[in-house]
Amino acid sequence: MRPDGREPEQVRPITVQPDFISYPEGSVLWRAGDTMVLCNASYSDTTAPFLRGSGEGWVTAEYAMLPRATDTRGERRKNGRAQEIQRLVGRSLRAAVRRDLMGERSLIID
């Protein structure tokens, strides 16, 4: 039996709340039990500087945990783990997107 009363094979309840934040072009609050992930997507009419003139777009990600997201307060600055997660998310998104069809635009995922 798990601490929250679930059986070992039982998954945590999942909820997805789209348009959670008003300002970005897209946002979602995803929950699985006590784990919450807030994801925002923003759009820009420019591409990464090294892609200017290529006709190709760019997809990038920024990742950060809030200081009190765990049982002890963490620092707000980026650590190596957070940077590596950010790189992994960015690479994964770029692998799934046809940047040659985007034009010189960017998607920024937070």
Side-chain angles (χ1 to χ4, degrees), residues 12-68:
R12 295 178 287 172
I14 295 173
T15 61
V16 178
Q17 186 176 347
D19 302 320
F20 186 74
I21 305 247
S22 303
Y23 302 110
E25 284 76 12
S27 72
V28 66
L29 179 65
W30 180 91
R31 295 179 189 211
D34 289 336
T35 301
M36 290 184 256
V37 177
L38 175 60
C39 182
N40 295 316
S42 301
Y43 166 85
S44 172
D45 274 325
T46 60
T47 191
F50 66 90
L51 289 173
R52 286 191 189 129
S54 71
E56 236 180 85
W58 189 243
V59 179
T60 189
E62 289 191 23
Y63 168 85
M65 282 182 61
L66 292 173
R68 251 336 264 216

Side-chain angles (χ1 to χ4, degrees), residues 42-104:
S42 301
Y43 166 85
S44 172
D45 274 325
T46 60
T47 191
F50 66 90
L51 289 173
R52 286 191 189 129
S54 71
E56 236 180 85
W58 189 243
V59 179
T60 189
E62 289 191 23
Y63 168 85
M65 282 182 61
L66 292 173
R68 251 336 264 216
T70 59
D71 60 342
T72 58
R73 188 176 192 285
E75 294 294 318
R76 196 170 277 276
R77 64 182 171 82
K78 290 243 193 268
N79 61 30
R81 179 178 180 272
Q83 280 189 316
E84 192 53 37
I85 290 170
Q86 181 171 306
R87 287 185 190 123
L88 177 66
V89 171
R91 286 185 197 126
S92 299
L93 291 170
R94 285 190 292 278
V97 172
R98 290 281 312 266
R99 295 184 301 117
D100 59 322
L101 299 178
M102 288 176 62
E104 292 194 14

